[in-house]
Amino acid sequence: MSLIDRFLAWEKKPIILEKLQLVGIACFQLSCKYEDRFVLDMDQLSQLMEGTFHPDEIRQMELNVSFTLDFNLNIPLSIHFLRAIARETNCDIKVKRRLGASICLLSYVYH
């Protein structure tokens, strides 16, 4: 959602309603490429969209989103810091979960 919000905020020309779904699927694909190990093929994405958009249109919108956001896809979240802390410490998994929940809750309260 962050990619979509930031893209719509920074995009110079208005997005027509018919292309909003294309923006959403392009942002979904970009976030999968950035965060996940599993990424859908462009043909699979096109099939998922029931052929509404051609794979080339999805690729082009990915580029448009990337250029509009100046390739700044990362927003530091509390979960990223939590993962780094968890890697560096050797404490019990229950302690890590409680610590993580506390940090996340505090970060949302004070943000």
Side-chain angles (χ1 to χ4, degrees), residues 25 28-29 32-33 37-49 53-56 58-59 62:
I25 199 70
F28 170 76
Q29 182 73 348
C32 284
K33 287 178 180 179
R37 289 182 282 177
F38 177 74
V39 179
L40 291 175
D41 184 67
M42 288 295 178
D43 292 325
Q44 291 173 323
L45 277 177
S46 182
Q47 289 174 357
L48 182 67
M49 304 297 291
F53 301 107
H54 192 269
D56 291 336
I58 299 171
R59 279 188 201 95
E62 273 188 30

Side-chain angles (χ1 to χ4, degrees), residues 102-111:
S102 300
I103 291 172
C104 289
L105 285 174
L106 286 173
S107 69
Y108 292 129
V109 169
Y110 292 110
H111 188 323

Side-chain angles (χ1 to χ4, degrees), residues 18-37:
E18 290 80 21
K19 295 292 182 179
L20 194 57
Q21 187 177 17
L22 179 60
V23 170
I25 199 70
C27 289
F28 170 76
Q29 182 73 348
L30 282 171
S31 64
C32 284
K33 287 178 180 179
Y34 192 78
E35 289 285 333
D36 295 337
R37 289 182 282 177

